[in-house]
Amino acid sequence: MLAAAEARTAFIFLLPSLIGVTLFLILPIIASLVMSFTNWKLLTTPAFVGFQNYTRLFGRDPQFWTTLGNTLFFTLEYLVLNMIISVGLAVWISSLKIGQRWFRVIFFIPTFTPAIAVAVVWKLIFTPNGFLDSIFLSLGIDPPNMLNDRTLAMQAVIIVSLWAGVGYNTVLFNAALEMVPASYLEAAKIDGASAWQRFWKIRLPLISPTLFFGAVMTAISSLQIFDQIYALTRGGPGAATSTLGYAIFQQGFQNFQMGYASSIAWVMFAIILLLTALQFWLQKKWVHYDG
C-alpha cells in the first residue's frame, strides 16, 4: 500500500512534465512522421502519397545530394577541428599555474551567445570592406570574398561555428584532465616518459570517455546546423552551403511543402542515428573505461 501511494504521489508530481513532453515532443515527432507521407502544402488539405516524398528525395531531386554532401563535409571538418582545438586549449589551460578559472570562463562565454547573434556579427566582419578586408589590405594581400566564394563560404561558416562552439568541449575536456590522478603522471615522469608520452599514453586514454561524449554530441549538433547558414549565407552562393537543416526550412516555410520537408527531417534523423551508432561501435577500439 505504501509503495502504491508513493507511486501515485510521484506520478502526480511528474504529470505536468509528462504532459509537456507529450504535447511538445512526442506528438510533434509522430505528426512529422505521418506528415512525411503526405503532400501537405500548408495551405491545402493534406493527401496521403505513400513513399512519394522519399522517392523524390533520393531519385528526382539532385539538390538533395548536394545538400547531403555539404552537411557531411561540414560535420566532418567541424568535428575534427573542434576536437583538436578544444583538446589543445584544455591541455594548455591545465598547464597554467594561475588564471585557469578565468580562461575557462573566457572560452565558455561564446557558448551562451545565441548563434544568430554570433553569425550576424561575423557577417559584418566578413562583409566586403569590413574588418577582415582591412586586415588583409594592411598586409598587402588582396582580400577574399569569403561569403560569396563557393569554396570559401563553407569555411567561413566553419570558422564562425568553431568560435561559438569550441568553448564547451574545452571546458569539458579540461575538467576531465583535472581528474587524471597526479600519481600516474609522476610515476611516468620518474620512469623517464616525456611530456608527449605522458599525454599520449596516460592522459588521453584516461579522458577518452569524455572525448567520446564530446565527439558524439558535437557530431549530432553539427549535423543539424541551421542558424549560422541562415544568418551568413542563406545556403549560397548557389547551393555551396545548403545543409539538411536549411533545406527543411526552405521546403517547409518558403516553398510550403511541409510533407517534403518532413521527409528530409526524417532522413536527417536516420543519418544522425546511423552515425551515432557507428561512433558507439568504434568506441570499442579507442575508449578506455576504468575497471
Side-chain angles (χ1 to χ4, degrees):
M1 294 295 292
L2 181 62
E6 291 178 345
R8 286 194 296 271
T9 302
F11 178 76
I12 292 172
F13 279 102
L14 290 173
L15 187 59
S17 295
L18 292 174
I19 293 174
V21 169
T22 302
L23 291 178
F24 300 108
L25 183 62
I26 297 176
L27 289 181
I29 289 175
I30 296 173
S32 69
L33 179 60
V34 174
M35 199 184 305
S36 70
F37 296 101
T38 71
N39 65 349
W40 188 36
K41 296 183 179 180
L42 199 62
L43 301 178
T44 62
T45 302
F48 182 76
V49 294
F51 289 93
Q52 183 175 317
N53 288 325
Y54 293 95
T55 57
R56 172 189 170 188
L57 194 63
F58 290 106
R60 294 184 287 118
D61 188 356
Q63 186 71 28
F64 168 74
W65 297 106
T66 300
T67 299
L68 177 60
N70 291 339
T71 304
L72 295 177
F73 175 82
F74 171 86
T75 299
L76 179 61
E77 183 173 346
Y78 174 75
L79 176 61
V80 171
L81 291 177
N82 187 300
M83 295 296 290
I84 292 174
I85 294 172
S86 57
V87 169
L89 290 174
V91 172
W92 175 71
I93 292 174
S94 67
S95 69
L96 297 176
K97 301 298 182 183
I98 58 174
Q100 289 191 19
R101 293 181 180 179
W102 288 106
F103 280 106
R104 291 192 195 108
V105 172
I106 289 171
F107 287 119
F108 196 69
I109 284 176
T111 64
F112 285 104
T113 309
I116 287 290
V118 170
V120 169
V121 172
W122 274 93
K123 188 172 185 178
L124 296 175
I125 295 174
F126 286 133
T127 193
N129 301 318
F131 177 73
L132 186 64
D133 281 9
S134 64
I135 294 178
F136 279 106
L137 291 173
S138 66
L139 297 174
I141 303 174
D142 187 26
N145 195 341
M146 294 285 290
L147 298 180
N148 292 317
D149 187 286
R150 286 180 174 271
T151 304
L152 298 177
M154 184 61 80
Q155 300 305 314
V157 175
I158 291 173
I159 290 171
V160 175
S161 301
L162 286 171
W163 186 90
V166 79
Y168 179 86
N169 281 343
T170 297
V171 174
L172 183 69
F173 299 156
N174 180 253
L177 287 170
E178 294 298 314
M179 297 297 292
V180 175
S183 58
Y184 292 3
L185 302 175
E186 292 170 0
K189 188 175 182 179
I190 292 173
D191 289 339
S194 65
W196 173 252
Q197 288 173 328
R198 294 196 299 272
F199 169 74
W200 189 255
K201 298 294 185 179
I202 298 177
R203 303 182 83 186
L204 204 60
L206 287 176
I207 68 168
S208 58
T210 307
L211 294 175
F212 172 68
F213 173 79
V216 170
M217 298 305 295
T218 302
I220 291 174
S221 63
S222 58
L223 285 166
Q224 302 176 71
I225 181 174
F226 168 75
D227 295 349
Q228 296 93 316
I229 300 294
Y230 179 81
L232 287 170
T233 64
R234 301 295 172 94
T241 59
S242 179
T243 60
L244 291 175
Y246 189 73
I248 294 170
F249 166 76
Q250 277 188 312
Q251 296 297 336
F253 298 100
Q254 291 184 340
N255 299 338
F256 302 115
Q257 298 184 18
M258 299 301 293
Y260 192 51
S262 297
S263 67
I264 299 175
W266 276 91
V267 168
M268 182 171 70
F269 169 76
I271 293 171
I272 292 173
L273 185 64
L274 289 173
L275 291 181
T276 303
L278 177 63
Q279 287 180 300
F280 270 89
W281 179 75
L282 291 175
Q283 74 160 324
K284 301 174 184 178
K285 301 180 182 297
W286 66 277
V287 179
H288 306 279
Y289 295 97
D290 291 338

